[in-house]
Amino acid sequence: TRRRISAQRNSQSETALETLKEALAATNINDLDEQDEEGAEVQRESDTERRVSGLGSLETFSGISAASHLHDYSVPASANVEHFRNSENLLRKDAGSAGRPRNHSEQPFHSPAGPVRMSTADYFPNGSATTVMMHSHRNRSMPSIRADSGMYGMRTFASTQFASQKRGFLRRKVPLEEMISYTSEPLTRSLMNLPREMNRDAVRGFRVIQRFMGNCDDDVSLNEKFADVLWLANVGVRNQPMRDEIFCQLAKQITGNPSPAAAEKGWTLMGVLLYAFRPTQVFLPHLEAFVDSAPISTLALKRFLRLQLGRVRRTGSRTSELTVKELRLAMTVPSRPLVFGGALGEIMADPELVNRNTGLPRVLEQLTGLIISLDGESTEGLFRVPGNSDAIFMTRLRIEAGQLEFSDITDPNVPASLLKEWLRDLADPLIPESMYDECMANPSDPAAVKDILERVPDTSLHVIKYLLGFLSGLLRPSVQAKTKMDSSNLALLLGPTILRNPVNDLKDMFANSSGEQTFVQTLLDNFASS
């Protein structure tokens, strides 16, 4: 009996050991150990650069030497990778699953112990907040990109989230700078630690990016490039772990690219893909820092990318795949003048975007006209109830692409939602930020509000008067009885779009929200009929 029990225990131990080996193989534990080494190597390089250049010549987070807090914020890179894997619900192997992949649909960021609140250490595990200049190992003559702004940037993200790569007979480790810089060679594996079944898509996706940017010798037609981009966009829609991988590949090919024209194509492709999906919450601030610090040749293109990043931060990724029609429209937007996100003065100076007879932006007249023609005056909760997200997306895409056909829109909440987006996305608010404090000083005093209006620039004042005239029609008692939206409700919803707090602080914004509502309500109650 003792021998039988002992044999059973030995068998159970061997089974458990085999299961553990399979789990370790699935999580690439060697890569995690090498990531720790890579993070330490990055820290050593940063410390060396600080000693050579002098502490005063480098920017430090909050003016404090990062080296003095190294031990306070140090977190193993493997821990951050494990958080990322848990958040994305990646492939796991155990005795019950037999290697079966789980669902990769979008899920909130979780750790095994529950929801995780990311801290400074999660984004910058080595504690160094020093700004680092990135130099391409292949193209020293190209202007470098300051990818790390404070604690965000491609170098920071790659040091913790990229898979360790080796090459050559001696299997030497590929330097981090090379992993985040342009290459003319194809990839043999994903940049990040992805499930094995996604590695083939990652390799193919990088080839698609190279072909689109013109950095490979493949002779492909425009139709083939279009089909490639459609495939790439929908791979990101279907598989959340692939989204950050695709944006990292684009950033890699843009950084130090020897052809400015190819780099501009890369930025354009990034903006188009943002119509389909967004980066994860972990990677989004790093991509924003990369875009903000990059030397993009065209100011309009940089504005377009910032606008796209701000939009996806609010709306998230699509739930349905991108259609051929939608992609054709999206491909035309980056080369067109900005309708959403442009400065009002620039819009008024473009004959295509302004009605010369009325001196008003065409988009403003089109959206307000649609609200009235679709019986918005009888729609309960107008401006409060959001429109269908897919309809809003498609309508905005048409406006941005210059195709003003709205015959398929039947819900007035769609143009109402877009009107709020257009006002909110203006490069400068209708009431200049320099007057914000005056608006908050006496928001309920009609005389003080009138004095402010008289000093508003003529172009903005013309738009404000048209907007107040439109809203006055919605404030008629017969209309209010149907929409259930009085001046107080409209002011609450439209206040942040007309006034914009210049201080980007949540506490201050919350404290001033009632003052913004009062100011706009004073406008509606006293000047809406003028």
Side-chain angles (χ1 to χ4, degrees):
T1 302
R2 291 194 189 99
R3 285 195 296 271
R4 187 167 56 252
I5 293 174
S6 177
Q8 289 175 353
R9 288 177 177 173
N10 290 338
S11 177
Q12 292 173 356
S13 298
E14 291 174 359
T15 303
L17 182 60
E18 290 298 321
T19 302
L20 179 60
K21 288 180 178 179
E22 291 180 3
L24 291 175
T27 54
N28 294 325
I29 194 67
N30 292 331
D31 285 350
L32 300 185
D33 292 337
E34 289 165 1
Q35 283 290 343
D36 288 340
E37 297 174 7
E38 186 72 26
E41 182 179 341
V42 170
Q43 181 62 41
R44 287 194 297 270
E45 292 173 357
S46 178
D47 292 342
T48 301
E49 184 174 351
R50 186 184 301 110
R51 287 193 297 270
V52 173
S53 303
L55 186 61
S57 63
L58 299 174
E59 300 173 15
T60 55
F61 179 63
S62 300
I64 302 174
S65 171
S68 64
H69 297 278
L70 175 60
H71 301 291
D72 295 336
Y73 294 104
S74 179
V75 174
S78 58
N80 205 14
V81 174
E82 190 62 33
H83 280 314
F84 177 75
R85 288 177 169 172
N86 290 328
S87 73
E88 307 294 1
N89 194 18
L90 301 183
L91 177 67
R92 290 290 184 266
K93 284 188 177 181
D94 54 36
S97 66
R100 183 176 61 255
R102 297 184 182 180
N103 181 25
H104 296 292
S105 58
E106 187 160 353
Q107 297 182 10
F109 190 75
H110 287 290
S111 74
V116 174
R117 184 176 297 278
M118 302 302 291
S119 65
T120 303
D122 293 312
Y123 288 119
F124 215 103
N126 291 320
S128 174
T130 306
T131 300
V132 181
M133 293 294 290
M134 286 173 48
H135 298 279
S136 169
H137 71 288
R138 296 181 183 271
N139 302 287
R140 298 294 182 182
S141 61
M142 290 297 296
S144 59
I145 295 179
R146 188 186 296 265
D148 288 359
S149 176
M151 63 183 188
Y152 300 118
M154 284 307 303
R155 181 186 175 91
T156 305
F157 183 79
S159 66
T160 59
Q161 305 294 356
F162 276 23
S164 179
Q165 298 187 20
K166 296 181 179 180
R167 67 183 173 197
F169 178 76
L170 298 177
R171 307 300 295 161
R172 296 188 183 278
K173 187 179 297 183
V174 178
L176 182 65
E177 294 292 346
E178 185 172 338
M179 294 171 64
I180 60 177
S181 300
Y182 165 81
T183 178
S184 60
E185 302 296 327
L187 288 184
T188 57
R189 60 156 295 172
S190 61
L191 294 176
M192 302 176 62
N193 284 301
L194 295 182
R196 289 171 181 169
E197 71 272 12
M198 292 186 184
N199 193 62
R200 180 177 297 179
D201 284 345
V203 172
R204 179 184 172 186
F206 188 72
R207 197 62 179 171
V208 167
I209 291 171
Q210 287 181 313
R211 290 167 65 175
F212 183 86
M213 294 175 63
N215 290 135
C216 67
D217 297 330
D218 294 355
D219 186 14
V220 293
S221 65
L222 291 177
N223 288 336
E224 289 176 316
K225 285 185 178 181
F226 181 85
D228 283 345
V229 173
L230 184 62
W231 172 85
L232 187 64
N234 289 329
V235 163
V237 172
R238 291 190 299 267
N239 301 311
Q240 185 185 6
M242 278 292 295
R243 297 171 186 174
D244 287 354
E245 172 73 19
I246 292 170
F247 286 121
C248 285
Q249 290 180 4
L250 271 170
K252 171 183 174 68
Q253 285 304 93
I254 289 170
T255 303
N257 196 299
S259 169
E264 188 165 331
K265 289 180 181 178
W267 290 118
T268 300
L269 181 57
M270 183 181 292
V272 170
L273 292 177
L274 284 169
Y275 277 116
F277 55 86
R278 57 161 282 173
T280 62
Q281 290 284 6
V282 175
F283 182 54
L284 181 58
H286 296 276
L287 185 60
E288 289 175 330
F290 178 70
V291 171
D292 287 342
S293 60
I296 304 177
S297 57
T298 308
L299 179 61
L301 182 57
K302 191 163 192 172
R303 264 196 217 160
F304 170 67
L305 288 166
R306 286 174 171 170
L307 183 68
Q308 286 288 79
L309 288 168
R311 182 185 61 80
V312 298
R313 181 180 280 277
R314 297 192 305 266
T315 62
S317 299
R318 289 170 57 92
T319 56
S320 58
E321 293 189 2
L322 208 64
T323 65
V324 172
K325 182 179 180 181
E326 290 170 338
L327 182 59
R328 290 195 187 282
L329 290 174
M331 295 285 282
T332 66
V333 174
S335 60
R336 290 185 51 77
L338 287 176
V339 179
F340 289 81
L344 187 59
E346 295 174 354
I347 294 174
M348 299 297 286
D350 193 320
E352 184 183 354
L353 303 181
V354 67
N355 184 342
R356 289 301 180 188
N357 295 326
T358 61
L360 291 166
R362 293 184 186 276
V363 62
L364 177 63
E365 294 181 323
Q366 289 160 351
L367 293 175
T368 54
L370 274 175
I371 293 172
I372 299 301
S373 64
L374 295 175
D375 202 21
E377 294 178 334
S378 301
T379 302
E380 183 175 344
L382 186 69
F383 286 107
R384 176 176 56 81
V385 177
N388 177 269
S389 59
D390 289 339
I392 291 173
F393 170 82
M394 191 60 184
T395 306
R396 173 168 174 161
L397 192 56
R398 287 174 181 167
I399 294 173
E400 290 178 318
Q403 298 188 11
L404 309 179
E405 173 57 43
F406 309 117
S407 58
D408 59 336
I409 301 176
T410 58
D411 182 10
N413 291 311
V414 172
S417 298
L418 282 173
L419 179 59
K420 290 192 295 183
E421 282 192 21
W422 182 77
L423 291 170
R424 180 180 57 234
D425 288 344
L426 283 173
D428 301 304
L430 294 178
I431 304 290
E433 291 182 349
S434 59
M435 298 182 177
Y436 183 83
D437 290 338
E438 294 182 63
C439 297
M440 294 297 99
N442 296 293
S444 60
D445 184 1
V449 172
K450 182 179 180 181
D451 177 66
I452 291 173
L453 283 180
E454 290 175 348
R455 291 183 285 115
V456 168
D458 293 340
T459 303
S460 297
L461 183 61
H462 188 41
V463 172
I464 291 173
K465 287 182 176 180
Y466 175 83
L467 192 60
L468 292 175
F470 164 72
L471 295 174
S472 68
L474 301 179
L475 293 175
R476 299 195 307 269
S478 60
V479 175
Q480 287 190 47
K482 298 176 183 178
T483 63
K484 305 294 190 292
M485 298 294 291
D486 58 14
S487 61
S488 176
N489 294 330
L490 290 175
L492 176 64
L493 296 168
L494 296 175
T497 67
I498 297 175
L499 280 172
R500 193 175 302 167
N501 192 336
V503 179
N504 190 20
D505 179 78
L506 288 178
K507 184 177 180 180
D508 188 73
M509 292 167 68
F510 180 78
N512 288 338
S513 60
S514 60
E516 295 172 357
Q517 179 185 3
T518 302
F519 180 86
V520 175
Q521 186 174 354
T522 304
L523 278 177
L524 294 173
D525 291 340
N526 296 277
F527 306 100
S529 59
S530 59

